[in-house]
């Protein structure tokens, strides 16, 4: 079975970045529409490429997809939704409250949580109010609301007029203070998500250990929230047509091993399997092929096109090793190999005699597993969310809770259980870690793009919040933005794959960094089949598909560029990681 069986009105496709959520949601919607159903596909992804996949320019209202009767799509634009939401909350008080009070309100509604809640506000209109989508047989959501958003909406203080500034804590409850009127709609939305007769959540994963691990983690989180009607969609499953090609044999073996070791709870879910497709999944014809579950018969590998490949990662490390200290950050879409690149760079710098700290802000935190063993000069750590939250909570209660009555203290303690407390706590640990680059190398494996930008954006808003509520700020926080903007102190490596979505999302990331006045040092194109030397017909064709994306990065986007081939040996442990940094 290539696509999930559709038995509910609402479907959600969620999973680790890069696993094919948009492609599968579009292929499912297309197949249903061509069977006579009226379908609405909705993207809740801030970096949506729904337009590109379906070949139509989308807005926040349903638009028909050309060439397919009954298929419609729309994008929820979180930034636009946040702007509208902020204005709805603040405008009634303009001209009534003092300017300082208005500025304080605008500050509370300027953070990342406002974006999440505003997006949920738009999403709730589609899911919680059946009349909003009454003209459609099925509504398909490309990515569901995050566990962060759903946990946030379960906090009792979300339904009060409580404002975070009344306690002095750094909170996300401020943006929720105006939602009392929406309570019934939001409650209906959360109930709809948990109703197995109405909603199916499709966990999308590739046959890779990290993707399956992430899908299982999501399964557990959703179960805690009462969402149990789950389906596992395995995408990009590859089997070599014939033995003898080292790359094809390794890809087959690694996929089979990952599936054999699938976590038990995940393996018990209903499953569908979509095969590896060599030409991408952009356009209706590609989506139809995906829905069919068949792979075109390719008799022989086509002749490789002539393209000059970028140099190996070794050349970048020569440049990174010149300063003797500083911060190196890997950034990019989830699933592109940021952890692997960070570990390989850290190992190479340590092997050159440097003292290196390799750490991560990623909640998944796979760096220690990637390095695999102790290396002289290399220290591996992680920013532990639970530990950082405990430290931050203790500090806030000691400072802000001293003069509160029992009710006020209880409210403060509940406020500090909100998900945004974790964001602030991890951010402070991130700033402390960046400070360590004064004397040695710090290699930071950052979280997927959106989370990373939250941390970077938080620098200035956190500064203002602390000054407003506490009047002081640690020096390492005060120095964070200047350090991130100093090209001699911080080098950002944007990691991508030679595919449409990862390159386009990395391009958006570079624009976001530019607005924050942070200039990337280089781009790294990871897992290139074109550079792997494969002669397998299917994989060779995929390599040819990479050419325009490699050229786009190397010739138009990157100040410097490195290319890492797809390796038959997993890039884990010192030997596997050293393959990545060898001179090619």
């Amino acid at each position: 079975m290539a696509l999930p069986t559709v038995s509910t009105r609402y479907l959600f496709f969620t999973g680790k970045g890069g696993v094919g959520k948009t492609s599968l949601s579009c292929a499912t919607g297309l197949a249903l529409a061509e069977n006579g159903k009226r379908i609405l596909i909705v993207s809740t992804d801030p970096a949506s490429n729904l337009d590109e996949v379906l070949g139509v320019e989308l807005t926040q209202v349903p638009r028909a997809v050309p060439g397919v009767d009954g298929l419609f799509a729309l994008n929820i634009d979180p930034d636009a939704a946040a702007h509208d939401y902020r204005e709805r909350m603040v405008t009634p008080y303009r001209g009534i409250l003092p300017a300082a009070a208005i500025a304080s309100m605008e500050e509370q509604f300027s953070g990342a949580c406002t974006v999440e809640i505003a997006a949920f506000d738009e999403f709730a209109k589609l899911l919680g109010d059946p009349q909003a989508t009454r003209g459609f047989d099925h509504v398909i959501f490309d990515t569901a609301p995050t566990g962060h958003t759903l946990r946030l909406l379960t906090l009792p203080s979300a339904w009060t007029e409580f404002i975070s500034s009344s306690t002095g804590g750094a909170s996300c409850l401020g943006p929720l203070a105006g939602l009392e009127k929406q309570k019934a709609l939001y409650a209906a939305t959360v109930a709809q998500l948990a109703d197995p007769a109405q909603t199916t959540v499709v966990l999308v994963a590739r046959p890779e250990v990290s993707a399956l691990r992430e899908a299982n983690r999501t399964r557990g989180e959703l179960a805690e929230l009462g969402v149990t009607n789950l389906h596992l969609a395995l995408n990009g499953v590859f089997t070599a047509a014939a033995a003898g090609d080292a790359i094809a044999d390794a890809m087959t073996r690694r996929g089979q091993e990952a599936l054999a070791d699938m976590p038990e709870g995940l393996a018990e879910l209903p499953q569908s399997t979509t095969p590896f497709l060599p030409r991408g999944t952009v356009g209706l014809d590609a989506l139809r092929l995906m829905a069919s579950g068949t792979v075109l018969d390719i008799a022989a590998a086509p002749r490789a096109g002539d393209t000059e490949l970028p140099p190996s990662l070794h050349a970048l490390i020569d440049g990174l090793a010149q300063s003797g200290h500083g911060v190196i950050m890997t950034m990019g879409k989830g699933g592109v190999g940021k952890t692997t690149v960070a570990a390989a760079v850290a190992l190479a710098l340590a092997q050159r005699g440097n003292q290196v700290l390799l750490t991560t802000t990623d909640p998944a935190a796979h760096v220690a597993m990637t390095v695999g063993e102790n290396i002289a000069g290399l220290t591996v750590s992680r920013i532990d969310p639970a530990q950082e939250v405990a430290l931050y909570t203790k500090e806030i209660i000691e400072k802000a809770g001293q003069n509160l009555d029992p009710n006020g203290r209880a409210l403060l303690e509940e406020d500090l259980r909100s998900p945004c407390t974790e964001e602030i706590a991890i951010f402070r640990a991130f700033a402390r870690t960046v400070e360590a680059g004064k004397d040695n190398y710090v290699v930071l494996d950052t979280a997927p793009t959106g989370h990373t930008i939250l941390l970077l954006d938080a620098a200035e808003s956190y500064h203002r919040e602390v000054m407003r509520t506490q009047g002081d700020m640690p020096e390492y926080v005060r120095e964070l933005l200047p350090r991130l903007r100093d090209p001699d102190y911080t080098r950002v490596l944007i990691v991508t794959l030679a595919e449409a979505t990862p390159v386009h999302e990395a391009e958006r990331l570079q624009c976001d960094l530019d607005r924050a006045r942070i200039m990337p040092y280089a781009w790294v194109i990871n897992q290139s089949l074109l550079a792997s030397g494969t002669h397998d017909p299917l994989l060779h064709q995929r390599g040819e598909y990479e050419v325009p994306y490699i050229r786009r990065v190397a010739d138009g986007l990157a100040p410097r560029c490195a290319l890492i081939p797809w390796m038959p040996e997993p890039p884990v442990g010192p030997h596997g990681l050293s393959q990545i940094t060898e001179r090619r």
Side-chain angles (χ1 to χ4, degrees):
M1 181 172 59
L3 297 177
T5 300
V6 180
S7 59
T8 58
R9 185 162 189 262
Y10 301 103
L11 286 90
F12 288 88
F13 287 77
T14 188
K16 181 180 173 69
V19 294
K21 297 183 294 293
T22 299
S23 300
L24 273 174
S25 62
C26 290
T28 301
L30 175 62
L32 288 169
E34 293 188 330
N35 279 324
K37 302 292 186 180
R38 282 180 62 83
I39 306 298
L40 176 63
I41 303 175
V42 180
S43 175
T44 62
D45 188 341
S48 172
N49 67 324
L50 198 59
D51 309 56
E52 182 179 27
V53 172
L54 292 175
V56 59
E57 186 175 345
L58 299 176
T59 65
Q60 294 198 82
V61 297
R63 176 163 292 183
V65 176
V68 188
D69 290 339
L71 183 61
F72 296 78
L74 67 85
N75 276 328
I76 292 177
D77 182 340
D79 292 330
H83 176 270
D84 294 344
Y85 180 80
R86 183 166 53 248
E87 287 304 303
R88 288 203 306 274
M89 295 298 107
V90 177
T91 296
Y93 300 97
R94 297 189 193 278
I96 299 174
L97 295 180
I102 295 297
S104 176
M105 290 180 69
E106 289 177 334
E107 176 64 34
Q108 291 180 55
F109 288 101
S110 66
C113 286
T114 298
V115 176
E116 281 201 62
I117 294 302
F120 188 87
D121 192 40
E122 296 297 315
F123 158 80
K125 295 171 187 175
L126 297 172
L127 183 64
D129 179 6
Q131 292 303 308
T133 56
R134 65 182 181 275
F136 298 99
D137 298 305
H138 298 282
V139 183
I140 298 174
F141 291 90
D142 172 23
T143 74
T146 65
H148 176 294
T149 307
L150 296 176
R151 290 196 306 275
L152 192 57
L153 290 167
T154 65
L155 291 173
S157 290
W159 312 117
T160 74
E161 293 182 357
F162 174 72
I163 298 292
S164 60
S165 58
S166 65
T167 67
S171 167
C172 51
L173 296 184
L176 290 165
L179 300 184
E180 180 67 32
K181 296 176 183 177
Q182 302 279 85
K183 184 175 181 179
L185 175 62
Y186 283 17
T189 301
V190 175
Q192 196 83 274
L193 277 169
D195 184 353
Q198 290 291 319
T199 301
T200 303
V201 177
V202 180
L203 305 176
V204 184
R206 292 190 182 276
E208 300 166 0
V209 171
S210 61
L212 292 168
R213 187 186 297 118
E214 178 72 10
N216 192 52
R217 186 180 67 82
T218 303
R219 179 194 62 81
E221 285 187 354
L222 290 172
E224 290 177 5
L225 294 166
V227 180
T228 57
N229 186 14
L230 306 177
H231 179 101
L232 175 63
L234 296 169
N235 187 30
V237 177
F238 175 80
T239 303
D245 183 89
I247 301 298
D249 291 346
M251 188 176 288
T252 301
R253 182 181 67 254
R254 282 158 59 174
Q256 290 172 344
E257 290 172 351
L259 294 176
D261 292 337
M262 189 189 306
E264 184 177 352
L266 200 62
E268 293 171 352
L269 297 178
Q271 295 180 18
S272 57
T273 299
T274 307
F276 176 91
L277 298 176
R279 305 301 296 178
T281 50
V282 173
L284 298 180
D285 288 342
L287 294 173
R288 290 186 181 99
L289 184 62
M290 187 179 211
S292 72
T294 60
V295 178
L296 295 177
D297 183 25
I298 302 171
R303 180 181 179 274
D306 294 327
T307 187
E308 183 180 351
L309 297 180
S312 70
L313 193 59
H314 186 281
L316 284 186
I317 293 173
D318 286 342
L320 295 171
Q322 291 177 2
S323 64
H325 70 95
V327 174
I328 299 162
M329 293 198 296
T330 56
M331 301 179 70
K333 180 180 172 67
V336 297
K338 296 183 300 295
T339 299
T340 299
V341 173
V345 169
L347 176 66
L349 290 172
Q351 288 174 335
R352 296 184 183 207
N354 298 288
Q355 292 296 312
V356 182
L357 170 64
L358 171 62
T359 190
T360 183
T361 63
D362 191 335
H366 304 311
V367 288
M369 190 183 308
T370 303
V371 173
E373 62 183 72
N374 293 329
I375 304 295
L378 178 60
T379 302
V380 180
S381 71
R382 66 182 290 250
I383 294 174
D384 184 335
Q387 179 180 334
E388 297 300 333
V389 166
L391 290 171
Y392 178 69
T393 300
K394 181 174 182 292
E395 178 183 327
I396 292 296
I397 289 177
E398 287 176 352
K399 287 186 177 182
Q402 292 178 352
N403 301 319
L404 295 176
D405 60 24
N407 287 337
R409 188 178 178 90
L411 202 54
L412 172 60
E413 289 173 351
E414 187 200 339
D415 180 9
L416 289 169
R417 290 197 296 274
S418 78
C420 284
T421 296
E422 182 174 308
E423 294 282 353
I424 295 294
I426 291 175
F427 168 75
R428 297 194 340 156
F430 170 75
R432 283 200 309 271
T433 303
V434 168
E435 184 182 40
K438 291 188 301 183
D439 303 314
N440 298 299
Y441 282 105
V442 174
V443 180
L444 266 162
D445 167 35
T446 58
T449 303
H451 186 94
T452 302
I453 295 301
L454 284 182
L455 289 178
L456 297 180
D457 281 349
E460 289 182 312
S461 61
Y462 177 80
H463 185 164
R464 293 190 295 269
E465 178 71 11
V466 170
M467 295 301 287
R468 182 171 66 83
T469 61
Q470 299 174 29
D472 60 4
M473 174 182 288
E475 183 65 21
Y476 60 82
V477 174
R478 193 183 307 277
E479 291 295 323
L480 177 62
L481 267 182
R483 284 172 174 154
L484 293 178
R485 290 168 174 165
D486 181 355
D488 294 325
Y489 191 96
T490 299
R491 270 69 58 92
V492 173
L493 305 180
I494 294 181
V495 185
T496 189
L497 304 176
E499 300 173 14
T501 300
V503 168
H504 295 160
E505 186 157 331
E507 188 170 357
R508 285 190 287 265
L509 167 61
Q510 181 157 273
C511 291
D512 289 339
L513 290 172
D514 183 60
R515 283 193 291 272
R517 288 183 283 153
I518 299 170
M519 301 305 297
Y521 178 78
W523 285 50
V524 178
I525 304 171
N526 195 24
Q527 298 177 1
S528 168
L529 285 166
L530 182 66
S532 71
T534 181
H535 295 288
D536 177 86
L538 207 61
L539 298 186
H540 194 91
Q541 188 175 93
R542 181 56 176 231
E544 290 288 300
Y545 171 78
E546 295 176 356
V547 171
Y549 302 107
I550 292 173
R551 296 270 55 87
R552 170 70 178 146
V553 172
D555 301 337
L557 295 172
R560 301 171 186 82
C561 184
L563 184 71
I564 299 174
W566 199 96
M567 301 287 186
E569 180 179 340
V572 176
H575 179 68
L577 291 171
S578 294
Q579 296 178 100
I580 292 176
T581 55
E582 289 175 353
R583 190 183 300 275
R584 193 172 62 240

